[in-house]
Amino acid sequence: MELYMKNREHGRMILESVENGPLIWPTIEENGVTRTKKYAELSAAEKIQADCDMKATNIILQGLPADIYSLERECKLYDAFDKFTHIKGETLHKYYLRFTQLINDMNIYNMKIEQFQVNTKFLNSLPPEWSKFVTDVKLVKDLHTTNFDQLHAYLEQHELHANEVRLLRERNQDPLAFVANQQMTPPHFNTY
């Protein structure tokens, strides 16, 4: 029972050190100079407090790596969210899977992002060939209540058309070349 009480008292002292910081070490005056006592010079009660302070410091320090790792990971995820964009040549489905993975990772860390932000990021990061459909979605769907899974399902129905738009843009990347090409094509005359 005495050991239990001793451990309980030490536990309380450690907790106080964690919450309030360590106690200030006692000082001693020698030859008119005040200095901090060495450990060997402490009383039994002061040694117990010093030991508890040391344990509290270790608890705090050992707890930091997990907190630092978690904080660093959250910063990297927010950064990845901010920089998320479509990769050239990526299908809508692969784009959706990458975005889903990012959002799931953020949810694991209980990171809070408004539904509207998630949906807006999902839509605005699509390449230009999707602009007509992104506009349609923004007009038809409520981005505050719809989730990006529903947006993906809607957009998936229009992937063939978006790919056609992309191919047309790739063929006619240089507008001057397009106009020159059109002018060099001989007109078609009807001969009746």
Side-chain angles (χ1 to χ4, degrees):
M1 186 68 166
E2 185 181 319
L3 183 60
Y4 167 77
M5 293 302 285
K6 184 177 173 183
N7 287 340
R8 193 173 111 181
E9 180 62 20
H10 287 189
R12 184 190 58 74
M13 292 171 77
I14 291 170
L15 183 60
E16 285 179 8
S17 288
V18 169
E19 291 175 346
N20 305 319
L23 293 179
I24 298 171
W25 273 47
T27 57
I28 190 170
E29 191 172 315
E30 284 183 338
N31 302 327
V33 177
T34 304
R35 67 169 177 81
T36 305
K37 283 186 180 179
K38 296 177 184 168
Y39 186 83
E41 298 171 331
L42 296 176
S43 69
E46 291 169 333
K47 284 182 181 179
I48 290 171
Q49 183 61 55
D51 293 342
C52 289
D53 289 346
M54 184 62 70
K55 288 177 183 175
T57 302
N58 288 336
I59 288 169
I60 292 169
L61 291 175
Q62 289 171 2
L64 284 178
D67 292 339
I68 288 173
Y69 172 77
S70 179
L71 204 57
E72 181 181 4
R73 181 71 177 146
E74 284 183 26
C75 288
K76 286 181 179 179
L77 287 170
Y78 277 124
D79 191 48
F81 182 82
D82 288 341
K83 293 179 180 175
F84 187 87
T85 188
H86 181 268
I87 298 171
K88 186 175 171 79
E90 183 176 46
T91 65
L92 178 65
H93 186 69
K94 289 209 187 246
Y95 170 83
Y96 167 73
L97 291 177
R98 273 191 322 112
F99 193 77
T100 301
Q101 183 64 56
L102 175 61
I103 298 303
N104 287 343
D105 288 348
M106 294 175 91
N107 287 337
I108 288 170
Y109 286 90
N110 293 321
M111 298 168 66
K112 301 294 180 210
I113 299 181
E114 296 295 323
Q115 189 65 49
F116 181 80
Q117 283 180 287
V118 172
N119 290 336
T120 303
K121 184 64 176 178
F122 182 77
L123 293 172
N124 290 346
S125 297
L126 286 166
E129 60 262 25
W130 287 98
S131 61
K132 176 196 180 317
F133 306 106
V134 167
T135 302
D136 291 348
V137 167
K138 287 179 178 178
L139 292 172
V140 174
K141 302 281 186 184
D142 179 4
L143 297 183
H144 293 279
T145 57
T146 303
N147 65 42
F148 72 93
D149 300 305
Q150 294 166 324
L151 299 177
H152 169 255
Y154 174 83
L155 293 171
E156 203 170 34
Q157 299 168 22
H158 304 287
E159 188 163 18
L160 183 63
H161 184 73
N163 287 338
E164 289 173 359
V165 171
R166 179 183 46 80
L167 289 173
L168 281 172
R169 284 190 182 171
E170 286 173 359
R171 280 191 213 136
N172 303 313
Q173 279 185 349
D174 183 3
L176 293 177
F178 176 71
V179 170
N181 193 21
Q182 292 298 326
Q183 290 174 348
M184 294 180 71
T185 307
H188 176 69
F189 292 104
N190 242 341
T191 53
Y192 285 101

